[in-house]
Structure formats: C-alpha cells, structure tokens
Amino acid sequence: MKRTKKSNHKPTAILSGDWHLREDQPVCRTDDYWTAQWDKVAFIAEMQRKYDCPVLHSGDLFHHWKPSPYSLTTAIEHFPYPLHIVYGNHDLPQHNLDLTYKCGIRTLEAAERVSVLHETHWGEVPEGGSIFFPTYNSSRVLIWHVMTWTGERPWPGCQDPTAEEILDRYPQFDLILTGHNHKTFIVEQDGRLLINPGSMMRMAADQENHEPCVFLWYAETNEVERVVLPHEKGVVSRDHIEARDDQDDSRYQAFIKGLQEDAPQISFRANLEEFFRQQSTGKKVKEMVWGSVEE
Ligand SMILES: [Mn+2]
C-alpha cells in the first residue's frame, strides 16, 4: 500500500469511519454482532489511550440516527476520547441537517463524549477556507462524509467524484479523510493523501472478504499505517440470499443476482440518490422518502 510505513513516532491521530453501531443483527451475520462491534470500539479506544491522540471519524457513527438507549449508554462508557466526527447520512433524520438536534450523536455531544466538526457533513460541500478545519503540526485536514471511489466505477452511472477529483479540488488539505463508501482505499497525490477507511464491520454478504481496519496517521511525514482490527473469519453468511434464489421467479432472480454483485447496503441508497438526481426530486419529497426508508 502506498505511502505507508511503520514508524517509531507517536501517531498524530487514528483515522476511522462508518462504524454503523446498532443493536440489531445484520441478516448476513452468524456471530454475536453486538459483542463483535464493541470489541472493535474497545480495540480502537485502547489504541487511543496508548498513543494519546484523537480519533478522527468520517461519519455514520450509528446505523440509525435514533440509536437505542443501550447503544448510547455503551457508547458513553466505551468510546475513545477525543473523538471528532461529522454526520453521515445514517446519522441524520431524513438526511436533513436541520434535524441534528434529534440525533443520537447530539446526545453524545451534550454528554461531551464526542465533538462534532463543522461544514463537512453528509450533503455539504466544503468551502475549503473555513477556520473550522482541524490542523495538526501545520497539516490541514478535511474530514468529510461523501461518496467517493477509485478504480472501477462502483455502479453504472455513478456521478460521485473520484478520490483523485476530490484531491484536485481541495489542494489546501494534506489529508482528506472520507466516509460513506464501505470499501477501504488510499489515494496519494504529490504527497497528499485521501484515506477512505471503509466500514468497521462486515454488514453485508458481499463484505465476506472485507478486512476491517483503521489507519494511524503521522502528520510530520504525512504517512499512514494500516492496522487491521481483530475479527473472526467465517461469520458472514450468504444463506439468506441463496435461500431466496430457490424461488422460481426469473425477475426476482435477476434482482438478487444484482445484489450479489453489488453492495446491497450502499446500492439501494445509491440507486435512490441517483433516481432523485435524474428526476430533480424536490427536497420535501426526498425527506419523506428517506424518512420511510429509516422505518
Ligand atoms: Mn456508511
């Protein structure tokens, strides 16, 4: 992996995103998902204490904007601190930034367990000149919940910017940390980095081979070190998809095949986003649709 090294220096920050913490069990998982996710949070919190550095989080802290009281209590007890975050689409009621006062993240902010950054939440386009963007050792950092990708287009007709385009658009930042795409990747351009940590958990059948990880970032040299989070193999099952394959309906089969080839979690939402874009759907209608998707 490019621009990576093992350093003897203390890392400046731990980079992570897309934790999607939840109390229910994803249909593809055969293990104790609740324990698996909090073990990963505990591992990150332990690293935070060891290196005494902040955790930077690129959004989708929770799977739903209204996490259960049990999830919130566990978060208060076990989160690393400091934890700097932006709102992801899953963190927001109806994808609406005016409603953050209702969100679970707001509870954690009021309890002073997280600090929420400005102007780079889901749906926002950073101005780039804002005083709010964090700086470490004179390295400027952009933390943004936005769909981005590199290499193979994630789905036909995807209009979202590539990592390379985002690096071009924001030359003032040394490090750009993104979330939303659950795949892990790094793109380097002239010593500048875009890091997309990917999801902390394997939540969908197509993520069987995904390796959950975080990155240690060293501002002095602008390098990162990938740290794989301890995780159990063989706990992601396709049985729920294969059982449905038995049904004798060719259109349904084709749909399921599409799911198998794509990322089910992200593609449904991405398809909806794409549909809204093509239809120039109004804000009110979009909010109603996202509201019912959250149910
Ligand atoms: Mn996400």
Side-chain angles (χ1 to χ4, degrees), residues 19 21 38 61-62 67-69 71-77 79 81 83 85 87 103-116:
W19 289 5
L21 298 168
W38 289 107
L61 186 61
F62 292 107
S68 69
S71 301
L72 284 171
T73 307
T74 314
I76 287 168
E77 288 173 347
F79 266 11
Y81 187 86
L83 175 59
I85 59 164
Y87 280 94
C103 302
I105 284 183
R106 179 68 198 114
T107 308
L108 296 180
E109 193 184 25
E112 297 183 354
R113 295 300 284 112
V114 301
S115 68
V116 179

Side-chain angles (χ1 to χ4, degrees), residues 154-175:
W155 57 84
C158 172
Q159 300 288 317
D160 297 296
T162 62
E164 291 80 359
E165 284 165 345
I166 290 180
L167 280 161
D168 281 344
R169 202 183 296 171
Y170 296 102
Q172 62 273 58
F173 296 105
D174 303 289
L175 172 70

Side-chain angles (χ1 to χ4, degrees), residues 33-268:
Y33 190 80
W34 174 265
T35 303
Q37 69 186 344
W38 289 107
D39 281 352
K40 288 178 184 60
V41 172
F43 186 86
I44 295 168
E46 185 53 41
M47 271 198 294
Q48 186 281 323
R49 281 190 292 274
K50 179 176 164 194
Y51 297 123
D52 189 25
C53 67
V55 177
L56 309 183
H57 192 293
S58 54
D60 281 356
L61 186 61
F62 292 107
H63 192 53
H64 192 279
W65 63 270
K66 196 195 280 189
S68 69
Y70 185 26
S71 301
L72 284 171
T73 307
T74 314
I76 287 168
E77 288 173 347
H78 296 289
F79 266 11
Y81 187 86
L83 175 59
H84 302 294
I85 59 164
V86 295
Y87 280 94
N89 50 312
H90 282 261
D91 296 316
L92 292 165
Q94 301 148 52
H95 289 196
N96 186 342
L97 271 167
D98 297 333
L99 301 176
T100 55
Y101 65 91
K102 289 185 172 185
C103 302
I105 284 183
R106 179 68 198 114
T107 308
L108 296 180
E109 193 184 25
E112 297 183 354
R113 295 300 284 112
V114 301
S115 68
V116 179
L117 299 165
H118 298 265
E119 299 180 23
T120 53
H121 306 298
W122 173 255
E124 293 190 304
V125 177
E127 287 296 324
S130 168
I131 55 161
F132 291 117
F133 297 124
T135 300
Y136 299 96
N137 298 6
S138 78
S139 296
R140 301 198 72 203
V141 181
L142 172 64
I143 305 167
W144 191 14
H145 197 83
V146 64
M147 177 60 196
T148 183
W149 52 284
T150 189
E152 195 187 335
R153 198 173 286 274
W155 57 84
C158 172
Q159 300 288 317
D160 297 296
T162 62
E164 291 80 359
E165 284 165 345
I166 290 180
L167 280 161
D168 281 344
R169 202 183 296 171
Y170 296 102
Q172 62 273 58
F173 296 105
D174 303 289
L175 172 70
I176 301 177
L177 171 65
T178 54
H180 189 64
N181 187 342
H182 287 187
K183 293 196 166 86
T184 305
F185 57 88
I186 296 181
V187 174
E188 185 206 341
Q189 224 171 60
D190 305 322
R192 297 167 52 243
L193 295 174
L194 185 145
I195 308 285
N196 193 85
S199 62
M200 184 182 76
M201 301 298 292
R202 292 156 295 166
M203 319 178 357
D206 71 314
Q207 287 187 295
E208 196 177 350
N209 298 318
H210 175 67
E211 233 181 2
C213 66
V214 298
F215 290 87
L216 302 179
W217 173 55
Y218 301 87
E220 250 172 51
T221 51
N222 206 31
E223 287 172 309
V224 288
E225 180 186 342
R226 182 166 173 263
V227 178
V228 174
L229 301 172
H231 61 284
E232 197 182 336
K233 301 275 184 214
V235 295
V236 179
S237 159
R238 310 187 65 88
D239 289 354
H240 61 292
I241 295 173
E242 278 148 20
R244 277 183 287 171
D245 272 350
D246 293 340
Q247 296 182 26
D248 187 27
D249 179 334
S250 61
R251 280 172 63 203
Y252 192 69
Q253 294 275 10
F255 175 71
I256 295 296
K257 189 161 181 294
L259 284 183
Q260 287 171 335
E261 285 164 0
D262 209 339
Q265 294 290 340
I266 210 164
S267 66
F268 172 71

